[in-house]
Amino acid sequence: MNFKQAQLESFCRNPNPDIKCVILFGSNEGTMALLQKKCAEAVCGDVRDAFRFALLDMSDISKGGQEIYAEYYAQSLMGGRRVIVVKNGDNNLASVLKNMIPDTKSDNLLLVVSSTLNTRSSLITWAKDRDDVIIVGCYEDREENISESAAALLRAQGLSFDTSVLQVLCSRLSPDRKVNQSEIEKLAMYLGERKTVTIADVKAVVSDVAGANYEDFCYYVAGGEVLKACAMYDRLLKEGEEPAAVIRQLSYHFSKLLSCAAQAENGKSLEETVKSLRPPLMFYRKNAFMQQLRIWNRDRLLGALSMLYDCERSCKITNLPAEQVAGYCGMRVAAAAFKLRSSRNLV
């Protein structure tokens, strides 16, 4: 069964014993780590309990998967359902699970975590049609997901906030939920007995992590700020971001510009097109975004997006150095924006 993250969290509140396996896969390792912990604790209670929790790595599993069979069919001496986590799972698990899961009488839960599997992997293709296996894709959060998860994390800490505080907080958070949870826990410790969060608190405590850097990079490129874009790209690489992921975020930003530009061509004002965006822009980004709409027209945006799509594909499927390919593409787009901005005398 293909579950969304919210559905898995609902499962964690009342684990169904008919579910024999949960597979977490995708590029967002922080989200996978959080969901792994939540799912395991929901079933076995305490992941430090050696009788009810076992951790395996794919590199330690033989071709026949005997190690998985041994752990999966083992019973806790103290009673209760066990959880077996397999880290870094790959398609070699497919043959093992196809033999084990359909005929199992065990009530234990197998939890597979992988950043290399995708929707076309044989293991995922097999699992999505089974009623006793849950698969959950974990990818980088979009702005609306970051806002929802940040609000939930704040409420879990018993903190109150208004819309402007949440917007500033989200602008500084990462697409990685594990990082965001750490930042919000740090904020709660800083506040102490005080429960109302202010913008000043956010700026004083919450680190300006990769999510904000992605957004800054996108705005620098689309706005023609070549030097700032170059510096931010270098910073993203030093923080361990993948070049293809940087270009993907830039494509997402240009897609939003294209949507607004198309509406403007049909007679809407720039103000109206920006208000139509969902999720809404952060209030302090509005002027810069409208400036970019004055720089770029629909045809030029389509050209930029075509270049960005080609670049992301080149980063993934060629032997060319991805850092240089993505950097060159980003700087070409930024230089084009600078040239367009200068020709139109836009400051």
Side-chain angles (χ1 to χ4, degrees):
M1 291 184 292
N2 197 347
F3 269 32
K4 294 181 179 179
Q5 293 174 26
Q7 291 175 289
L8 182 65
E9 291 178 359
S10 178
F11 165 82
C12 290
R13 288 191 287 272
N14 185 24
N16 183 349
D18 293 332
I19 300 299
K20 305 301 182 182
C21 178
V22 174
I23 303 175
L24 306 174
F25 68 100
S27 58
N28 195 331
E29 295 187 3
T31 296
M32 286 191 288
L34 287 174
L35 292 177
Q36 173 199 314
K37 184 173 184 292
K38 185 176 291 187
C39 194
E41 289 178 342
V43 173
C44 72
D46 187 354
V47 295
R48 294 171 296 182
D49 185 347
F51 291 110
R52 297 186 61 189
F53 180 81
L55 179 64
L56 301 173
D57 190 274
M58 195 65 203
S59 61
D60 300 324
I61 297 172
S62 58
K63 185 176 180 180
Q66 291 88 345
E67 297 82 0
I68 295 179
Y69 281 101
E71 289 290 352
Y72 191 73
Y73 284 104
Q75 294 182 330
S76 169
L77 295 176
M78 307 301 292
R81 196 178 183 191
R82 298 182 73 241
V83 174
I84 300 89
V85 174
V86 179
K87 301 281 285 185
N88 303 311
D90 59 33
N91 274 328
N92 291 323
L93 285 175
S95 59
V96 177
L97 269 58
K98 286 177 182 178
N99 289 327
M100 184 176 76
I101 296 297
D103 299 325
T104 185
K105 304 300 181 185
S106 173
D107 66 348
N108 293 334
L109 179 70
L110 182 67
L111 189 51
V112 178
V113 183
S114 173
S115 59
T116 58
L117 293 173
N118 57 53
T119 54
R120 296 184 299 275
S121 300
S122 59
L123 179 59
I124 301 301
T125 302
W126 165 79
K128 70 180 182 181
D129 295 325
R130 295 199 59 84
D131 293 334
D132 51 4
V133 180
I134 291 173
I135 60 172
V136 184
C138 303
Y139 301 101
E140 292 174 346
D141 285 342
R142 295 299 191 189
E143 291 177 12
E144 63 269 29
N145 303 123
I146 293 174
S147 179
E148 291 171 4
S149 63
L153 289 168
L154 287 167
R155 294 189 189 102
Q157 294 290 336
L159 302 177
S160 59
F161 52 92
D162 60 26
T163 302
S164 61
V165 169
L166 183 61
Q167 286 186 331
V168 173
L169 174 64
C170 290
S171 75
R172 303 172 76 85
L173 292 178
S174 162
D176 190 322
R177 291 192 191 183
K178 189 175 183 180
V179 173
N180 296 348
Q181 182 179 39
S182 176
E183 291 297 322
I184 290 173
E185 288 173 352
K186 184 171 64 174
L187 178 62
M189 291 179 62
Y190 171 80
L191 292 172
E193 296 298 319
R194 187 158 53 90
K195 296 301 180 183
T196 301
V197 186
T198 67
I199 291 176
D201 295 329
V202 173
K203 291 183 175 179
V205 179
V206 179
S207 303
D208 185 7
V209 290
N213 296 340
Y214 270 133
E215 192 172 73
D216 286 342
F217 175 71
C218 293
Y219 274 80
Y220 291 151
V221 170
E225 301 283 350
V226 181
L227 294 179
K228 290 182 179 180
C230 186
M232 186 57 70
Y233 179 69
D234 288 341
R235 178 177 170 182
L236 286 167
L237 292 184
K238 289 176 182 176
E239 290 176 353
E241 301 302 324
E242 291 294 330
V246 176
I247 295 299
R248 192 179 313 122
Q249 289 292 326
L250 195 54
S251 298
Y252 176 60
H253 182 78
F254 271 80
S255 294
K256 289 195 296 184
L257 286 170
L258 179 61
S259 173
C260 289
Q263 292 180 58
E265 285 189 0
N266 290 327
K268 281 191 175 183
S269 68
L270 293 185
E271 186 84 22
E272 289 174 323
T273 65
V274 172
K275 283 184 178 179
S276 71
L277 286 172
R278 293 293 180 273
L281 288 181
M282 302 294 183
F283 65 92
Y284 54 86
R285 295 292 192 188
K286 180 179 175 182
N287 290 339
F289 193 87
M290 290 179 67
Q291 175 83 320
Q292 291 166 23
L293 287 172
R294 296 185 183 98
I295 294 173
W296 296 90
N297 61 30
R298 183 172 176 274
D299 289 340
R300 294 186 186 279
L301 287 168
L302 287 169
L305 278 168
S306 177
M307 186 188 303
L308 291 169
Y309 293 149
D310 288 343
C311 175
E312 184 178 351
R313 185 166 58 251
S314 295
C315 287
K316 294 177 178 179
I317 65 174
T318 70
N319 292 323
L320 296 173
E323 293 86 353
Q324 285 83 354
V325 170
Y328 177 67
C329 179
M331 293 315 109
R332 280 186 66 191
V333 177
F338 175 77
K339 185 176 180 180
L340 289 169
R341 190 182 71 186
S342 300
S343 67
R344 299 180 185 185
N345 294 318
L346 296 171
V347 178

